[in-house]
């Protein structure tokens, strides 16, 4: 399949890109790594008449710390995170580095970007889960200025977000390290999007007791879902043992309102949730998983 014809523009700065977006109107679309958009164009699921290539906006390729947290430029690729910036992320943001191995294959990771992934808003995409898990802020730019959107309010539904048509994501801010966080997934083949993914972030006392935490699930709804039932268990103050992790996995799975429209059906999805939440909790707390 080949895409419908389009006009091609190249931007070298974020300001140039958003000026073009404003001038060209609703028919314009940004292209970053092209790893999702090109496939959609080839299948004619997207037919932008004007394409604005932002891959050369080099100033948006960075990872840096400041007083507000960890800032990642929107054009930073998945592969740069797992290679060039591994050391910068080694002080509490290891879960971000670890999550990159789940994204497609190496050629996809060398071109695909964090900004593109979050704007595309696949409900099982690793960056979308991480953003919700870690209370990220999505920073956008348009000719009207900058704004910051909490990840929890950014994802509206399947491939639908709070982004306005003339806005570009320029940065993702992760406000706090997550020293006990992990992600576990199941995909049909390595490199495929996950069928179900579970991401956890634990607040543990020195003695291993739980002081709170969050479980975020992908593959159980149109957006990454915070599992409230797990939050209750993780706030209980008890010790996180492998048995407690298993219990939390079961409570989470049983609490989900799933219909048979989810791939594989509700019972299959529930089983995956149970196991993946348990596994992610054990990994986050560095416990041996109880094999059942
Ligand atoms: C075979 C295959 C397997 C894959 N597996 C996975 C996987 O397991 N997990 C996963 O998360 N992803 C997976 N992907 C997708 C990959 O991660 C993409 O890199 C990502 O979804 C989109 O990033 P991109 O930079 O390529 O964006 P593009 O494809 O260029 O753009 C995607 C969308 O985002 C918009 N956009 C891009 N950048 C911005 C910006 N800065 N501001 C606003 N809008 C923007 C575009 O207009 C477009 O609508 C896979 C892709 C392929 C082809």
């Amino acid at each position: 399949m080949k895409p419908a014809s389009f006009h091609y523009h190249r931007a070298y700065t974020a300001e140039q890109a958003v000026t073009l977006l404003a001038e060209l109107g609703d028919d314009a679309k940004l292209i970053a790594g092209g790893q999702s958009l090109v496939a959609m164009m080839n299948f004619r699921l997207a037919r932008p008449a004007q394409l604005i290539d932002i891959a050369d906006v080099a100033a948006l390729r960075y990872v840096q710390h400041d007083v507000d947290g960890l800032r990642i430029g929107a054009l930073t690729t998945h592969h740069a995170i797992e290679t060039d910036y591994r050391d910068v992320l080694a002080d509490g943001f290891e879960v971000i580095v670890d999550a990159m191995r789940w994204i497609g294959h190496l050629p996809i990771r060398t071109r695909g970007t964090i900004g593109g992934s979050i704007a595309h808003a696949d409900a099982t995409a690793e960056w979308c889960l991480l953003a919700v898990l870690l209370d990220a802020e999505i920073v956008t730019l348009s000719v009207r200025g900058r704004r910051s959107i909490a990840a929890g309010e950014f994802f509206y539904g399947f491939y639908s977000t709070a982004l306005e048509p003339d806005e570009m994501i320029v940065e993702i801010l992760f406000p706090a390290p997550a020293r006990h966080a992990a992600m576990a997934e199941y995909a049909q083949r390595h490199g495929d999007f996950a069928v179900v993914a579970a991401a956890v972030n634990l607040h543990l006392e020195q003695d291993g007791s739980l002081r709170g935490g969050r479980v975020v699930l992908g593959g159980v709804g149109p957006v990454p879902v915070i599992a409230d039932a797990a939050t209750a268990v993780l706030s209980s103050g008890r010790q996180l043992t492998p048995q407690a992790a298993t219990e939390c996995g079961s409570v989470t799975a049983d609490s989900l309102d799933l219909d048979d429209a989810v791939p594989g059906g509700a019972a299959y999805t529930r089983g995956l949730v149970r196991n993946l939440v348990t596994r992610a909790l054990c990994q986050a707390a560095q416990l041996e998983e109880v094999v059942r």
Side-chain angles (χ1 to χ4, degrees):
M1 294 285 287
K2 293 281 176 242
S5 64
F6 55 85
H7 294 280
Y8 179 85
H9 310 262
R10 192 186 289 264
Y12 294 94
T13 65
E15 290 72 20
Q16 277 176 3
V18 296
T19 302
L20 281 165
L21 272 179
E23 282 171 12
L24 298 169
D26 288 355
D27 282 345
K29 236 178 180 347
L30 300 173
I31 182 164
Q35 297 304 297
S36 296
L37 183 58
V38 170
M40 293 185 76
M41 289 171 66
N42 284 346
F43 284 107
R44 309 273 171 123
L45 295 170
R47 286 169 169 254
Q50 312 279 348
L51 211 52
I52 305 165
D53 191 343
I54 54 173
D56 284 339
V57 182
L60 293 185
R61 295 186 193 274
Y62 59 84
V63 179
Q64 61 197 33
H65 293 275
D66 68 15
V67 287
D68 294 324
L70 178 84
R71 297 183 182 276
I72 304 185
L75 268 296
T76 310
T77 64
H78 316 316
H79 189 54
I81 295 286
E82 65 184 353
T83 53
D84 306 353
Y85 296 113
R86 180 174 280 270
D87 292 346
V88 185
L89 295 161
D91 59 347
F93 292 98
E94 291 86 348
V95 64
I96 295 180
V97 177
D98 289 346
M100 296 301 99
R101 70 194 154 98
W102 298 105
I103 303 182
H105 301 281
L106 183 61
I108 292 155
R109 296 200 293 273
T110 56
R111 296 196 65 85
T113 65
I114 176 172
S117 199
I118 289 191
H120 186 61
D122 189 298
T124 59
E126 285 72 16
W127 279 117
C128 300
L129 263 72
L130 287 168
V132 174
L133 181 75
L134 304 180
D135 279 328
E137 293 281 324
I138 320 295
V139 183
T140 71
L141 181 73
S142 74
V143 289
R144 291 167 284 114
R146 278 168 85 98
R147 69 171 177 140
S148 185
I149 308 161
E153 292 162 13
F154 184 80
F155 301 105
Y156 283 179
F158 288 112
Y159 311 112
S160 166
T161 71
L163 268 184
E164 296 292 340
D166 67 342
E167 276 182 314
M168 170 180 175
I169 298 174
V170 287
E171 184 179 86
I172 318 298
L173 170 67
F174 293 92
R179 299 191 192 284
H180 300 288
M183 188 180 282
E185 294 191 8
Y186 174 74
Q188 301 243 324
R189 298 169 305 185
H190 177 71
D192 285 358
F193 273 97
V195 177
V196 171
V200 309
N201 184 17
L202 300 176
H203 304 296
L204 290 176
E205 299 287 6
Q206 295 272 12
D207 64 0
S209 59
L210 286 161
R211 191 166 47 83
R214 177 176 290 176
V215 171
V216 177
L217 301 171
V220 301
V223 297
V225 170
I226 296 176
D228 292 332
T231 308
V233 178
L234 300 179
S235 306
S236 62
R238 60 194 283 195
Q239 288 282 322
L240 184 60
T241 60
Q243 289 73 19
T246 306
E247 194 185 307
C248 187
S250 294
V251 168
T252 305
D254 293 343
S255 72
L256 295 174
D257 183 15
L258 298 169
D259 61 35
D260 274 322
V262 289
Y268 174 72
T269 303
R270 222 178 282 288
L272 285 177
V273 169
R274 183 173 295 117
N275 286 308
L276 292 168
V277 170
T278 304
R279 180 170 304 163
L281 286 169
C282 288
Q283 283 172 8
Q286 297 183 315
L287 301 169
E288 286 291 323
E289 194 178 342
V290 177
V291 179
R292 282 153 299 135

